[in-house]
Amino acid sequence: MVDLKVKLHDIEFKNPVTLASGTCGFARETAEFFEPGLLGGYFLKGTTLKNRDGNNYPRMAETPSGMLNAVGLQNKGIDYFIENIYPEIVDYDTQLIINVNGSTVEDYIALTEKVNELDKINAIELNISCPNVKEGGMAFGVSCPGAEMVTREVRRVYDKTMIVKLSPNVTNITEIAKAVEGQGADAVSLVNTFLGMAIDAEKREPLLSTITGGLSGPAIKPIALRMVWQVANAVKIPVVGIGGIMTAADAIEFMLAGASVVQVGTAIFKDPMIPVKIVEGIEDYLKRHNMQSASELIGALQV
Amino acid sequence: MPKKFVKEFNVIENSALNATNFLIKVQSDTEFPVIKPGQFVNIEVKEAQEIFLRRPFSIFEVDYENNVISMIVKILGRGSRKLTEVKVGSKLSMVYPLGKTFTYPSSDDKILLIGGGSGVAPMLFLAKESGLPVENVDILLGARSKEDHINVDSYKKYANLHYASEDGSLGEKGFVTQHSVFTNNLNSYTKIYACGPDGMMRAIAKEAKAANVFCEVSLENLMACGFGVCLCCIEPTTKGNLCVCTDGPVFNINDLKW
């Protein structure tokens, strides 16, 4: 028997496979395909203090080995979540983590205070890296002072595990990681999407209503992997690896590079069963390599 | 128990209906759940690295006895073109069943079903499922020319068939909204259903609204996931931005901001 359990700060995941925020709704949608308890956890859809309608259509463009999105944090706000969604998912036998977003520091604080009251939510993912909103989001995450400020202020009101989600759209991602570590982040997750663009040459128009959007999918994997490896070597807090994971081998590569937990994202648009196959694939890998525990993979890259 | 599935189906038929529309029939080795008109499948385009996402197609016919689903695939771009090249005997991975169905007519309804291009698929499926006598079901099909029309004569037993073509080579000349069935007395119908190009559905909705006749349309926005998590295929409605894949694809025109 191999042990798939991994720890991230003080919370335990039954296996290292989780779903990325913005690609798994509120875990109810994938539950129509498979038992929610098969995965380690769910980083739920980015939530804000108030309702957000998101950006105009079109919000999506397919690109080689990936896609661009410009959803813009469409959600019904934290109060709707607490009243209507939380009761429905609270008994799922898995880690549920809320991805929190704000236009201002005050928004982040007010939202986090509400989330802090929810017993089943053991962690938040502080999103300072959404590329598709005009205010807040990535604006905080692309400078050390901005990232430090949001992390520090939210730390004051949040008692449980705080994971800060980092933007790859920076010159040196290790500097941002170290900055949020210094302000009390318990873990970092990376990467959010890469700012990109697509054009319809025939019409001479952009393919997205917002002109630019976030690139995800296997196209970004090598860059994301490099960033996870750099960050894992630069900070002492654990790392959540994200970026183009399609297979168990991809997930294992991120763990070898230093990730304690991985998030599967865009892959589920291609096949909603991929995350379950990745869990099985990691188990197979551990057996083949005579390893006892998934945690042995973390940072085990031989260089 | 799962309600939605990802499964490999065997391709048992792939035949050209005309220059741009193909009939693809796939068979499962297991039974599948009840499937309703308006619902769709999301098909993986294999052996095409540049095509990352699946392509959604409305379900045309369902044969529960032989576990067969058929789709009409219209060539619209790279993905659909690649799909029409699929060989009999190969496999297709499908996510299904997705989306919601139409409001079914009641036994005293008289209905008009309007299909444009490959949009005929859910209209014919609904005609068959309606359970209404033939005299209470009119199907109006529109296309550019006779060559672009799909032969649907086998549906004569479910409905009266009417044709419109832009060049007049089949049925009445002009758009479906210029056809006598549509212009004469729209109020003789209690329910109107439409599926086809955006412009066609908007024109129909405008007239149906003016005549105050119940009308549902099936939309086809760009999709990534097909099951309500990516929030890419949204349509602005009176209830906010809704997902075409899970809140639709069928919408009542009064809920749309058209």
Side-chain angles (χ1 to χ4, degrees):
Chain A
M1 267 303 275
V2 293
D3 181 7
L4 289 174
K5 287 195 298 293
V6 287
K7 272 191 90 173
L8 187 84
H9 184 237
D10 58 4
I11 62 173
E12 190 176 89
F13 292 77
K14 62 170 79 173
N15 63 58
V17 181
T18 69
L19 294 186
S21 182
T23 64
C24 64
F26 291 97
R28 301 170 300 177
E29 296 82 353
T30 49
E32 295 192 308
F33 291 94
F34 58 83
E35 171 61 40
L38 290 175
L39 302 186
Y42 295 76
F43 288 77
L44 306 176
K45 172 68 188 165
T47 299
T48 48
L49 192 57
K50 301 275 184 239
N51 174 73
R52 278 184 65 93
D53 290 333
N55 294 320
N56 288 338
Y57 183 87
R59 292 176 172 183
M60 188 274 285
E62 187 178 42
T63 57
S65 293
M67 60 177 278
L68 289 161
N69 90 81
V71 172
L73 292 173
Q74 178 178 330
N75 79 99
K76 291 182 174 163
I78 188 65
D79 292 337
Y80 181 89
F81 171 82
I82 293 170
E83 285 158 36
N84 300 287
I85 302 175
Y86 182 63
E88 215 182 301
I89 61 175
V90 69
D91 292 328
Y92 286 1
D93 180 24
T94 185
Q95 291 290 353
L96 300 172
I97 296 161
I98 296 190
N99 178 285
V100 301
N101 297 268
S103 303
T104 62
V105 174
E106 291 71 29
D107 283 359
Y108 277 103
I109 291 169
L111 173 56
T112 308
E113 282 175 335
K114 286 174 186 258
V115 176
N116 205 20
E117 302 299 311
L118 303 173
D119 288 341
K120 181 64 202 291
I121 308 293
N122 295 319
I124 55 167
E125 182 175 50
L126 186 65
N127 190 352
I128 54 167
S129 46
C130 178
N132 294 323
V133 291
K134 285 202 187 95
E135 293 164 334
M138 200 171 85
F140 290 113
V142 293
S143 79
C144 287
E148 281 173 345
M149 181 191 43
V150 181
T151 308
R152 182 177 63 238
E153 296 304 317
V154 173
R155 182 74 284 177
R156 284 183 185 158
V157 297
Y158 193 66
D159 315 328
K160 295 184 257 182
T161 300
M162 180 170 76
I163 305 158
V164 181
K165 187 168 184 176
L166 305 181
S167 171
N169 302 300
V170 293
T171 310
N172 186 347
I173 197 166
T174 61
E175 295 298 322
I176 309 282
K178 283 191 274 190
V180 300
E181 179 183 36
Q183 298 302 322
D186 297 315
V188 285
S189 57
L190 61 141
V191 295
N192 205 320
T193 55
F194 288 81
L195 198 60
M197 184 169 169
I199 291 174
D200 182 331
E202 291 301 319
K203 294 183 182 163
R204 303 180 199 174
E205 289 171 356
L207 284 169
L208 297 173
S209 69
T210 48
I211 303 173
T212 62
L215 181 67
S216 64
I220 70 168
K221 197 197 104 183
I223 320 177
L225 191 60
R226 180 267 293 178
M227 288 181 163
V228 164
W229 179 73
Q230 286 180 322
V231 167
N233 282 296
V235 296
K236 294 183 181 68
I237 52 177
V239 174
V240 179
I242 324 163
I245 294 172
M246 298 291 289
T247 64
D250 292 339
I252 290 162
E253 289 174 32
F254 273 87
M255 293 184 75
L256 294 172
S260 299
V261 168
V262 296
Q263 293 180 12
V264 179
T266 303
I268 81 158
F269 303 163
K270 181 100 177 158
D271 181 347
M273 295 305 289
I274 281 178
V276 179
K277 290 179 195 161
I278 292 177
V279 176
E280 293 164 0
I282 292 173
E283 193 170 0
D284 285 349
Y285 177 93
L286 295 173
K287 284 177 188 161
R288 275 196 293 117
H289 289 265
N290 294 318
M291 296 169 95
Q292 268 72 53
S293 162
S295 58
E296 292 172 47
L297 292 169
I298 303 165
L301 184 71
Q302 296 169 2
V303 285
Chain B
M1 274 299 287
K3 290 180 197 155
K4 294 174 183 171
F5 308 86
V6 187
K7 194 171 163 60
E8 298 256 326
F9 282 68
N10 296 310
V11 178
I12 58 168
E13 185 181 336
N14 177 15
S15 48
L17 297 170
N18 55 32
T20 55
N21 288 287
F22 289 73
L23 177 69
I24 296 181
K25 287 191 178 186
V26 296
Q27 187 169 39
S28 164
D29 51 13
T30 54
E31 289 181 11
F32 42 70
V34 171
I35 292 169
K36 301 278 190 187
Q39 290 194 292
F40 63 96
V41 292
N42 215 1
I43 308 180
E44 185 180 8
V45 184
K46 288 192 177 159
E47 294 154 24
Q49 281 300 311
E50 73 282 12
I51 300 162
F52 180 69
L53 298 168
R54 287 170 185 261
R55 296 291 188 267
F57 294 94
S58 191
I59 293 162
F60 173 38
E61 287 176 328
V62 182
D63 172 357
Y64 294 105
E65 208 168 305
N66 298 301
N67 303 324
V68 172
I69 295 178
S70 346
M71 289 83 54
I72 296 176
V73 174
K74 183 184 168 68
I75 298 177
L76 279 175
R78 297 171 307 170
S80 47
R81 180 176 299 280
K82 192 84 192 166
L83 265 180
T84 63
E85 294 164 5
V86 72
K87 298 271 185 298
V88 170
S90 63
K91 294 196 184 287
L92 275 185
S93 164
M94 312 213 298
V95 181
Y96 75 102
L98 302 172
K100 290 183 175 150
T101 186
F102 297 89
T103 303
Y104 272 43
S106 51
S107 58
D108 53 355
D109 272 325
K110 184 168 169 25
I111 65 173
L112 173 62
L113 303 146
I114 309 173
S118 58
V120 302
M123 296 293 96
L124 296 170
F125 189 5
L126 181 57
K128 198 173 174 179
E129 285 271 300
S130 73
L132 293 173
V134 177
E135 59 268 26
N136 286 356
V137 185
D138 280 330
I139 295 181
L140 173 57
L141 302 173
R144 240 166 310 199
S145 68
K146 190 179 178 194
E147 286 69 40
D148 294 323
H149 267 286
I150 296 164
N151 186 331
V152 296
D153 283 349
S154 63
Y155 278 79
K156 274 180 183 161
K157 57 177 181 274
Y158 305 111
N160 300 300
L161 302 177
H162 308 273
Y163 299 94
S165 54
E166 287 169 44
D167 65 358
S169 55
L170 182 69
E172 292 184 22
K173 188 176 176 178
F175 296 122
V176 289
T177 43
Q178 294 167 315
H179 194 282
S180 55
V181 157
F182 193 84
T183 54
N184 276 355
N185 190 5
L186 211 50
N187 284 106
S188 66
Y189 299 103
T190 50
K191 288 189 170 73
I192 298 171
Y193 305 93
C195 183
D198 192 66
M200 182 198 96
M201 292 194 289
R202 282 174 189 266
I204 292 165
K206 194 179 161 203
E207 297 302 324
K209 218 174 235 180
N212 198 26
V213 182
F214 175 97
C215 180
E216 285 181 343
V217 291
S218 181
L219 305 186
E220 195 186 28
N221 293 4
L222 269 182
M223 260 171 218
C225 71
F227 57 95
V229 293
C230 75
L231 308 187
C232 290
C233 65
I234 52 109
E235 178 69 24
T237 74
T238 55
K239 298 163 188 163
N241 284 336
L242 295 183
C243 284
V244 166
C245 66
T246 46
D247 298 303
V250 178
F251 289 91
N252 188 299
I253 55 164
N254 292 327
D255 295 334
L256 298 174
K257 292 190 164 174
W258 282 6

